C-alpha cells in the first residue's frame, strides 16, 4: 500500500451541484494524471437509494455507497473503517467523499484526521441560483457548511446576474472571512486552473 | 391503491403517521443530529409497485422509491420527469423548500436521469427520457424536502407517481 490518500470532502446543500462538479473533476483528473491515477469515490446519501451513485457509474467510475444516514452524525463511526477498507482494496491516490446535502463537514474532517490520520480538504459548494431563497431559512446548516470550508465554490453563476453573485460572495465571506472563493458555471467543465484551486495545489 | 405494511399489520394502532405504520428510532448523536421515523412500505399503483423508504434526517424529510413497473405499463421516463415537476410545485406551495428530487432508470445500455431543485426551472435531464418503463427497468426516485412533514411529503410523492 502506498502513501495515505488525501481526502476531499465535497460538501454543500442539496442541489448545489456536488455530483456534477465531482464527475467533471474526475474527468479532468483522469486527463491530467492518466489512467493509473486511482480515485476512490464515496457517496453518502441520507436516502436508502443513491441516484447520484448511478449517475457517477454512468460516467464510468465505481462508487462506494454509504446510505440511509449521514457520515457527519449517524454513520460517523463507519467512515474511517470504510476508507481503510478502500485503502486496502484500491490503494487510491485520492479519495473524494461526496457528503449528503445536510451534512456538516467539520465533524467528518475531524474524525478522519483524528482516527484515520488522513489529510482532509473541505470543498463546499453553494448554489448561487438558490442562495437568496434558502439563506435565511437554512442559515444554521449553510453556516455550518461554509464556516469550516478550505475553499468555497459558488456554483451556477451563469444562471444569475453578476450582482447576485457578488452578494453570495459577500455572505460567504461574512461567515468565513479568509476562505478562497471560486466561481463555477453550471454548464461548463472544470478547467485545469479551477481543479488546482479545488484540490489546493 | 394497495398498501403493504411490512412490519405493522393492518390493525396496527400505533398512531404514528397517517398510515399507522412506523419503525421509529430516534438516535441522539454527538452533536445533536437526528435520524428518525424510518419506515418502509410498498404501494401498488395502477402501473407499478413502488417500495417507499421514508425518514427524517435533521429537518430533511426523505422519501426514496424503488419502482417496478408492470408489463405494458404505458409509462415512459418522461412521466417521472412530470412527477418531479409536480412534487417541486406542491412542496413549494406548502411553503417548504425542495432539497432535491431525482429520478433514474436503466435497462441494458439505455438510461435516463432527471433532477429538480425548485419549481421555477425545468428539471435537468440526461439520457433517453422516452425510455419505456417495464419490470426489467431498474428505476429509482428520491425526494428530499425541508420544512415539510414526512407524511405530507410521502403523500405528495405517491400522488405524483400515481
Amino acid at each position: 500500500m502506498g502513501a495515505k490518500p488525501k481526502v476531499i470532502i465535497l460538501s454543500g446543500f442539496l442541489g448545489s451541484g456536488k455530483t456534477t462538479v465531482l464527475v467533471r473533476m474526475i474527468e479532468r483528473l483522469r486527463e491530467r494524471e492518466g489512467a493509473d491515477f486511482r480515485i476512490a469515490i464515496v457517496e453518502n446519501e441520507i436516502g436508502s437509494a443513491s441516484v447520484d451513485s448511478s449517475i457517477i457509474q454512468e460516467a464510468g467510475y465505481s462508487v462506494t455507497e454509504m446510505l440511509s444516514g449521514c457520515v457527519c452524525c449517524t454513520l460517523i463511526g463507519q467512515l474511517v473503517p470504510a476508507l481503510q477498507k478502500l485503502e486496502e482494496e484500491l490503494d487510491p491516490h485520492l479519495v473524494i467523499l461526496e457528503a449528503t446535502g445536510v451534512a456538516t463537514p467539520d465533524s467528518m474532517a475531524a474524525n478522519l484526521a483524528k482516527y484515520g490520520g488522513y489529510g482532509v480538504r473541505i470543498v463546499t459548494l453553494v448554489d448561487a441560483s438558490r442562495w437568496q431563497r434558502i439563506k435565511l431559512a437554512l442559515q444554521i446548516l449553510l453556516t455550518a457548511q461554509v464556516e469550516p470550508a478550505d475553499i468555497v465554490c459558488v456554483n451556477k453563476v451563469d444562471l444569475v446576474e453578476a450582482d447576485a453573485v457578488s452578494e453570495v460572495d459577500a455572505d460567504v465571506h461574512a461567515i468565513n472571512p479568509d476562505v478562497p472563493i471560486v466561481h463555477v458555471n453550471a454548464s461548463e467543465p472544470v478547467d485545469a486552473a479551477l481543479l488546482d484551486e479545488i484540490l489546493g495545489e | 391503491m394497495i398498501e403493504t405494511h411490512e412490519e405493522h399489520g393492518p390493525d396496527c394502532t400505533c398512531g404514528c403517521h397517517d398510515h399507522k405504520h412506523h419503525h421509529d428510532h430516534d438516535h441522539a448523536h454527538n452533536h445533536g443530529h437526528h435520524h428518525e421515523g424510518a419506515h418502509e412500505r410498498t404501494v401498488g399503483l395502477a402501473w407499478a409497485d413502488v417500495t417507499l423508504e421514508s425518514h427524517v434526517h435533521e429537518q430533511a424529510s426523505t422519501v426514496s422509491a424503488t419502482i417496478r413497473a408492470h408489463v405494458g405499463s404505458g409509462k415512459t421516463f418522461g412521466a417521472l420527469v412530470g412527477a418531479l415537476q409536480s412534487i417541486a410545485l406542491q412542496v413549494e406551495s406548502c411553503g417548504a423548500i425542495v432539497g432535491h428530487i431525482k429520478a433514474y432508470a436503466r435497462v441494458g445500455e439505455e438510461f435516463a436521469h432527471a433532477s429538480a431543485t425548485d419549481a421555477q426551472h425545468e428539471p435537468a435531464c440526461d439520457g433517453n427520457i422516452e425510455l419505456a418503463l417495464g419490470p426489467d427497468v431498474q428505476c429509482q426516485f428520491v425526494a428530499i424536502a425541508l420544512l415539510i412533514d414526512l407524511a405530507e411529503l410521502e403523500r405528495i410523492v405517491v400522488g405524483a407517481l400515481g
Side-chain angles (χ1 to χ4, degrees):
Chain A
M1 212 158 56
K4 228 163 180 44
K6 180 177 183 175
V7 179
I8 300 286
I9 296 176
L10 212 48
S11 162
F13 184 59
L14 296 152
S16 58
K18 295 184 294 297
T19 306
T20 303
V21 168
L22 169 63
V23 170
R24 290 173 183 165
M25 278 174 63
I26 299 166
E27 286 168 353
R28 180 62 66 181
L29 270 166
R30 282 272 157 80
E31 280 176 20
R32 191 173 79 179
E33 306 289 342
D36 292 339
F37 190 76
R38 293 181 297 280
I39 305 166
I41 303 162
V42 180
E43 271 292 315
N44 181 206
E45 289 281 355
I46 54 174
S48 63
S50 176
V51 172
D52 290 346
S53 293
S54 302
I55 292 167
I56 295 166
Q57 285 160 353
E58 290 297 344
Y61 309 108
S62 62
V63 177
T64 298
E65 292 181 326
M66 299 182 76
L67 303 178
S68 299
C70 181
V71 292
C72 82
C73 50
T74 51
L75 301 179
I76 196 163
Q78 298 175 31
L79 181 56
V80 168
L83 262 63
Q84 288 170 336
K85 188 163 180 274
L86 272 174
E87 273 194 86
E88 288 169 15
E89 291 174 354
L90 286 177
D91 191 18
H93 298 97
L94 178 70
V95 176
I96 304 178
L97 164 60
E98 183 179 343
T100 75
V102 294
T104 52
D106 54 346
S107 59
M108 280 182 259
N111 193 267
L112 287 165
K114 183 174 181 181
Y115 298 108
Y118 294 100
V120 180
R121 182 168 171 82
I122 298 174
V123 178
T124 296
L125 273 80
V126 301
D127 178 353
S129 69
R130 287 215 293 171
W131 183 255
Q132 291 302 327
R133 174 160 162 64
I134 65 175
K135 72 176 188 179
L136 291 179
L138 303 173
Q139 186 177 18
I140 294 171
L141 173 62
L142 296 174
T143 298
Q145 293 181 338
V146 169
E147 201 163 38
D150 294 302
I151 186 168
V152 171
C153 301
V154 177
N155 193 18
K156 309 183 191 180
V157 294
D158 49 332
L159 304 183
V160 296
E161 300 295 327
D163 288 353
V165 176
S166 299
E167 281 185 44
V168 178
D169 290 353
D171 288 342
V172 166
H173 273 150
I175 297 167
N176 186 347
D178 299 322
V179 73
I181 294 175
V182 292
H183 294 159
V184 182
N185 281 1
S187 54
E188 288 181 6
V190 171
D191 66 23
L194 180 57
L195 180 65
D196 284 343
E197 291 197 72
I198 291 172
L199 296 176
E201 291 173 352
Chain B
M1 184 185 299
I2 303 165
E3 292 189 4
T4 307
H5 299 304
E6 297 188 352
E7 293 179 45
H8 294 222
D11 299 327
C12 176
T13 56
C14 67
C16 182
H17 305 302
D18 57 359
H19 45 79
K20 298 182 178 61
H21 164 75
H22 76 164
H23 168 79
D24 194 359
H25 59 281
D26 185 359
H27 298 266
H29 300 286
N30 55 349
H31 50 285
H33 285 208
H34 295 274
H35 180 96
E36 59 192 36
H39 57 270
E40 187 171 309
R41 63 181 175 131
T42 300
V43 178
L45 304 177
W47 65 279
D49 292 327
V50 179
T51 301
L52 295 168
E53 190 279 330
S54 308
H55 65 264
V56 177
H57 184 91
E58 289 299 291
Q59 303 170 60
S61 291
T62 302
V63 177
S64 306
T66 301
I67 300 169
R68 185 173 166 83
H70 299 156
V71 175
S73 71
K75 297 279 187 182
T76 67
F77 188 80
L80 299 182
V81 177
L84 254 70
Q85 288 176 296
S86 171
I87 293 166
L89 190 60
Q90 291 181 70
V91 166
E92 292 190 351
S93 297
C94 300
I97 294 173
V98 175
H100 68 220
I101 310 164
K102 297 188 179 187
Y104 170 83
R106 163 171 274 283
V107 59
E109 294 301 307
E110 278 200 288
F111 77 97
H113 63 78
S115 66
T117 55
D118 59 35
Q120 286 75 52
H121 300 92
E122 294 283 314
C125 298
D126 194 14
N128 175 19
I129 67 164
E130 298 303 319
L131 180 65
L133 301 181
D136 54 337
V137 178
Q138 175 199 346
C139 190
Q140 294 172 328
F141 195 97
V142 177
I144 304 177
L146 290 95
L147 311 179
I148 189 169
D149 182 71
L150 179 62
E152 177 66 4
L153 180 61
E154 205 174 87
R155 186 193 64 74
I156 290 170
V157 169
V158 171
L161 290 175

PDB file of all heavy atoms in Angstrom, chain A residues 45-66:
ATOM      1  N   GLU A  45     -25.519   9.191   1.216  1.00  0.00           N
ATOM      2  CA  GLU A  45     -26.887   9.666   0.978  1.00  0.00           C
ATOM      3  C   GLU A  45     -27.712   9.447   2.232  1.00  0.00           C
ATOM      4  O   GLU A  45     -27.589   8.403   2.874  1.00  0.00           O
ATOM      5  CB  GLU A  45     -27.541   8.865  -0.165  1.00  0.00           C
ATOM      6  CG  GLU A  45     -26.984   9.149  -1.536  1.00  0.00           C
ATOM      7  CD  GLU A  45     -27.512  10.433  -2.146  1.00  0.00           C
ATOM      8  OE1 GLU A  45     -28.399  11.065  -1.533  1.00  0.00           O
ATOM      9  OE2 GLU A  45     -27.019  10.803  -3.213  1.00  0.00           O
ATOM     10  N   ILE A  46     -28.584  10.384   2.534  1.00  0.00           N
ATOM     11  CA  ILE A  46     -29.495  10.148   3.660  1.00  0.00           C
ATOM     12  C   ILE A  46     -30.642   9.233   3.239  1.00  0.00           C
ATOM     13  O   ILE A  46     -31.276   8.619   4.085  1.00  0.00           O
ATOM     14  CB  ILE A  46     -30.040  11.451   4.284  1.00  0.00           C
ATOM     15  CG1 ILE A  46     -30.682  12.354   3.242  1.00  0.00           C
ATOM     16  CG2 ILE A  46     -28.954  12.178   5.035  1.00  0.00           C
ATOM     17  CD1 ILE A  46     -31.350  13.579   3.859  1.00  0.00           C
ATOM     18  N   GLY A  47     -30.883   9.119   1.954  1.00  0.00           N
ATOM     19  CA  GLY A  47     -31.913   8.209   1.467  1.00  0.00           C
ATOM     20  C   GLY A  47     -31.391   6.784   1.365  1.00  0.00           C
ATOM     21  O   GLY A  47     -30.184   6.537   1.497  1.00  0.00           O
ATOM     22  N   SER A  48     -32.311   5.847   1.116  1.00  0.00           N
ATOM     23  CA  SER A  48     -31.906   4.440   1.041  1.00  0.00           C
ATOM     24  C   SER A  48     -31.436   4.055  -0.352  1.00  0.00           C
ATOM     25  O   SER A  48     -30.968   2.941  -0.572  1.00  0.00           O
ATOM     26  CB  SER A  48     -33.075   3.546   1.453  1.00  0.00           C
ATOM     27  OG  SER A  48     -34.140   3.702   0.547  1.00  0.00           O
ATOM     28  N   ALA A  49     -31.584   4.974  -1.299  1.00  0.00           N
ATOM     29  CA  ALA A  49     -31.108   4.727  -2.670  1.00  0.00           C
ATOM     30  C   ALA A  49     -30.305   5.940  -3.115  1.00  0.00           C
ATOM     31  O   ALA A  49     -30.622   7.065  -2.737  1.00  0.00           O
ATOM     32  CB  ALA A  49     -32.279   4.501  -3.611  1.00  0.00           C
ATOM     33  N   SER A  50     -29.281   5.697  -3.908  1.00  0.00           N
ATOM     34  CA  SER A  50     -28.461   6.806  -4.375  1.00  0.00           C
ATOM     35  C   SER A  50     -28.562   6.955  -5.886  1.00  0.00           C
ATOM     36  O   SER A  50     -27.952   6.198  -6.632  1.00  0.00           O
ATOM     37  CB  SER A  50     -27.000   6.611  -3.979  1.00  0.00           C
ATOM     38  OG  SER A  50     -26.216   7.651  -4.527  1.00  0.00           O
ATOM     39  N   VAL A  51     -29.333   7.919  -6.322  1.00  0.00           N
ATOM     40  CA  VAL A  51     -29.397   8.245  -7.743  1.00  0.00           C
ATOM     41  C   VAL A  51     -28.045   8.795  -8.190  1.00  0.00           C
ATOM     42  O   VAL A  51     -27.574   8.516  -9.298  1.00  0.00           O
ATOM     43  CB  VAL A  51     -30.531   9.257  -8.011  1.00  0.00           C
ATOM     44  CG1 VAL A  51     -30.483   9.764  -9.448  1.00  0.00           C
ATOM     45  CG2 VAL A  51     -31.892   8.630  -7.730  1.00  0.00           C
ATOM     46  N   ASP A  52     -27.386   9.545  -7.296  1.00  0.00           N
ATOM     47  CA  ASP A  52     -26.093  10.131  -7.649  1.00  0.00           C
ATOM     48  C   ASP A  52     -25.057   9.053  -7.960  1.00  0.00           C
ATOM     49  O   ASP A  52     -24.249   9.208  -8.881  1.00  0.00           O
ATOM     50  CB  ASP A  52     -25.583  11.016  -6.515  1.00  0.00           C
ATOM     51  CG  ASP A  52     -26.408  12.292  -6.376  1.00  0.00           C
ATOM     52  OD1 ASP A  52     -27.176  12.593  -7.304  1.00  0.00           O
ATOM     53  OD2 ASP A  52     -26.283  12.962  -5.347  1.00  0.00           O
ATOM     54  N   SER A  53     -25.078   7.964  -7.192  1.00  0.00           N
ATOM     55  CA  SER A  53     -24.136   6.873  -7.474  1.00  0.00           C
ATOM     56  C   SER A  53     -24.355   6.339  -8.884  1.00  0.00           C
ATOM     57  O   SER A  53     -23.400   6.066  -9.621  1.00  0.00           O
ATOM     58  CB  SER A  53     -24.335   5.721  -6.482  1.00  0.00           C
ATOM     59  OG  SER A  53     -23.971   6.116  -5.195  1.00  0.00           O
ATOM     60  N   SER A  54     -25.625   6.196  -9.254  1.00  0.00           N
ATOM     61  CA  SER A  54     -25.940   5.691 -10.591  1.00  0.00           C
ATOM     62  C   SER A  54     -25.404   6.638 -11.661  1.00  0.00           C
ATOM     63  O   SER A  54     -24.878   6.203 -12.688  1.00  0.00           O
ATOM     64  CB  SER A  54     -27.456   5.533 -10.740  1.00  0.00           C
ATOM     65  OG  SER A  54     -27.967   4.666  -9.758  1.00  0.00           O
ATOM     66  N   ILE A  55     -25.527   7.945 -11.406  1.00  0.00           N
ATOM     67  CA  ILE A  55     -25.048   8.939 -12.380  1.00  0.00           C
ATOM     68  C   ILE A  55     -23.527   8.844 -12.514  1.00  0.00           C
ATOM     69  O   ILE A  55     -22.979   8.876 -13.625  1.00  0.00           O
ATOM     70  CB  ILE A  55     -25.483  10.354 -11.942  1.00  0.00           C
ATOM     71  CG1 ILE A  55     -27.005  10.484 -12.048  1.00  0.00           C
ATOM     72  CG2 ILE A  55     -24.785  11.425 -12.787  1.00  0.00           C
ATOM     73  CD1 ILE A  55     -27.573  11.712 -11.369  1.00  0.00           C
ATOM     74  N   ILE A  56     -22.842   8.699 -11.396  1.00  0.00           N
ATOM     75  CA  ILE A  56     -21.375   8.602 -11.435  1.00  0.00           C
ATOM     76  C   ILE A  56     -20.956   7.303 -12.117  1.00  0.00           C
ATOM     77  O   ILE A  56     -20.008   7.282 -12.911  1.00  0.00           O
ATOM     78  CB  ILE A  56     -20.796   8.691 -10.001  1.00  0.00           C
ATOM     79  CG1 ILE A  56     -21.082  10.080  -9.412  1.00  0.00           C
ATOM     80  CG2 ILE A  56     -19.298   8.433 -10.005  1.00  0.00           C
ATOM     81  CD1 ILE A  56     -20.871  10.170  -7.917  1.00  0.00           C
ATOM     82  N   GLN A  57     -21.696   6.233 -11.858  1.00  0.00           N
ATOM     83  CA  GLN A  57     -21.377   4.956 -12.506  1.00  0.00           C
ATOM     84  C   GLN A  57     -21.622   5.045 -14.007  1.00  0.00           C
ATOM     85  O   GLN A  57     -20.877   4.456 -14.798  1.00  0.00           O
ATOM     86  CB  GLN A  57     -22.191   3.840 -11.862  1.00  0.00           C
ATOM     87  CG  GLN A  57     -21.640   3.453 -10.490  1.00  0.00           C
ATOM     88  CD  GLN A  57     -22.622   2.722  -9.603  1.00  0.00           C
ATOM     89  OE1 GLN A  57     -23.799   2.595  -9.933  1.00  0.00           O
ATOM     90  NE2 GLN A  57     -22.159   2.249  -8.469  1.00  0.00           N
ATOM     91  N   GLU A  58     -22.669   5.801 -14.415  1.00  0.00           N
ATOM     92  CA  GLU A  58     -22.906   6.009 -15.847  1.00  0.00           C
ATOM     93  C   GLU A  58     -21.698   6.664 -16.495  1.00  0.00           C
ATOM     94  O   GLU A  58     -21.404   6.432 -17.666  1.00  0.00           O
ATOM     95  CB  GLU A  58     -24.133   6.905 -16.088  1.00  0.00           C
ATOM     96  CG  GLU A  58     -25.467   6.292 -15.748  1.00  0.00           C
ATOM     97  CD  GLU A  58     -25.799   5.082 -16.591  1.00  0.00           C
ATOM     98  OE1 GLU A  58     -25.156   4.873 -17.626  1.00  0.00           O
ATOM     99  OE2 GLU A  58     -26.698   4.328 -16.180  1.00  0.00           O
ATOM    100  N   ALA A  59     -21.014   7.522 -15.730  1.00  0.00           N
ATOM    101  CA  ALA A  59     -19.829   8.208 -16.266  1.00  0.00           C
ATOM    102  C   ALA A  59     -18.607   7.293 -16.274  1.00  0.00           C
ATOM    103  O   ALA A  59     -17.534   7.702 -16.717  1.00  0.00           O
ATOM    104  CB  ALA A  59     -19.545   9.469 -15.445  1.00  0.00           C
ATOM    105  N   GLY A  60     -18.762   6.073 -15.769  1.00  0.00           N
ATOM    106  CA  GLY A  60     -17.700   5.081 -15.892  1.00  0.00           C
ATOM    107  C   GLY A  60     -16.837   4.899 -14.657  1.00  0.00           C
ATOM    108  O   GLY A  60     -15.753   4.336 -14.735  1.00  0.00           O
ATOM    109  N   TYR A  61     -17.300   5.360 -13.513  1.00  0.00           N
ATOM    110  CA  TYR A  61     -16.489   5.264 -12.298  1.00  0.00           C
ATOM    111  C   TYR A  61     -17.198   4.406 -11.257  1.00  0.00           C
ATOM    112  O   TYR A  61     -18.416   4.395 -11.177  1.00  0.00           O
ATOM    113  CB  TYR A  61     -16.217   6.663 -11.735  1.00  0.00           C
ATOM    114  CG  TYR A  61     -15.664   7.609 -12.765  1.00  0.00           C
ATOM    115  CD1 TYR A  61     -16.438   8.646 -13.284  1.00  0.00           C
ATOM    116  CD2 TYR A  61     -14.372   7.450 -13.256  1.00  0.00           C
ATOM    117  CE1 TYR A  61     -15.941   9.508 -14.260  1.00  0.00           C
ATOM    118  CE2 TYR A  61     -13.866   8.305 -14.230  1.00  0.00           C
ATOM    119  CZ  TYR A  61     -14.648   9.325 -14.721  1.00  0.00           C
ATOM    120  OH  TYR A  61     -14.155  10.154 -15.689  1.00  0.00           O
ATOM    121  N   SER A  62     -16.410   3.720 -10.444  1.00  0.00           N
ATOM    122  CA  SER A  62     -17.020   2.914  -9.391  1.00  0.00           C
ATOM    123  C   SER A  62     -17.165   3.745  -8.118  1.00  0.00           C
ATOM    124  O   SER A  62     -16.404   4.681  -7.872  1.00  0.00           O
ATOM    125  CB  SER A  62     -16.199   1.655  -9.125  1.00  0.00           C
ATOM    126  OG  SER A  62     -14.922   2.006  -8.681  1.00  0.00           O
ATOM    127  N   VAL A  63     -18.152   3.367  -7.343  1.00  0.00           N
ATOM    128  CA  VAL A  63     -18.535   4.186  -6.193  1.00  0.00           C
ATOM    129  C   VAL A  63     -18.739   3.281  -4.982  1.00  0.00           C
ATOM    130  O   VAL A  63     -19.317   2.203  -5.093  1.00  0.00           O
ATOM    131  CB  VAL A  63     -19.867   4.923  -6.483  1.00  0.00           C
ATOM    132  CG1 VAL A  63     -20.316   5.731  -5.276  1.00  0.00           C
ATOM    133  CG2 VAL A  63     -19.748   5.816  -7.707  1.00  0.00           C
ATOM    134  N   THR A  64     -18.277   3.739  -3.838  1.00  0.00           N
ATOM    135  CA  THR A  64     -18.627   3.099  -2.575  1.00  0.00           C
ATOM    136  C   THR A  64     -19.777   3.886  -1.963  1.00  0.00           C
ATOM    137  O   THR A  64     -19.676   5.104  -1.801  1.00  0.00           O
ATOM    138  CB  THR A  64     -17.414   3.107  -1.608  1.00  0.00           C
ATOM    139  OG1 THR A  64     -16.360   2.364  -2.208  1.00  0.00           O
ATOM    140  CG2 THR A  64     -17.788   2.501  -0.265  1.00  0.00           C
ATOM    141  N   GLU A  65     -20.845   3.185  -1.656  1.00  0.00           N
ATOM    142  CA  GLU A  65     -22.032   3.875  -1.143  1.00  0.00           C
ATOM    143  C   GLU A  65     -22.133   3.749   0.370  1.00  0.00           C
ATOM    144  O   GLU A  65     -21.889   2.679   0.931  1.00  0.00           O
ATOM    145  CB  GLU A  65     -23.299   3.283  -1.758  1.00  0.00           C
ATOM    146  CG  GLU A  65     -23.447   3.540  -3.233  1.00  0.00           C
ATOM    147  CD  GLU A  65     -24.736   2.940  -3.785  1.00  0.00           C
ATOM    148  OE1 GLU A  65     -25.155   1.872  -3.293  1.00  0.00           O
ATOM    149  OE2 GLU A  65     -25.323   3.554  -4.692  1.00  0.00           O
ATOM    150  N   MET A  66     -22.526   4.823   1.007  1.00  0.00           N
ATOM    151  CA  MET A  66     -22.905   4.803   2.422  1.00  0.00           C
ATOM    152  C   MET A  66     -24.288   5.436   2.486  1.00  0.00           C
ATOM    153  O   MET A  66     -24.419   6.653   2.323  1.00  0.00           O
ATOM    154  CB  MET A  66     -21.887   5.564   3.269  1.00  0.00           C
ATOM    155  CG  MET A  66     -20.486   4.963   3.187  1.00  0.00           C
ATOM    156  SD  MET A  66     -19.264   5.804   4.222  1.00  0.00           S
ATOM    157  CE  MET A  66     -19.712   5.170   5.831  1.00  0.00           C
TER     158      MET A  66
END
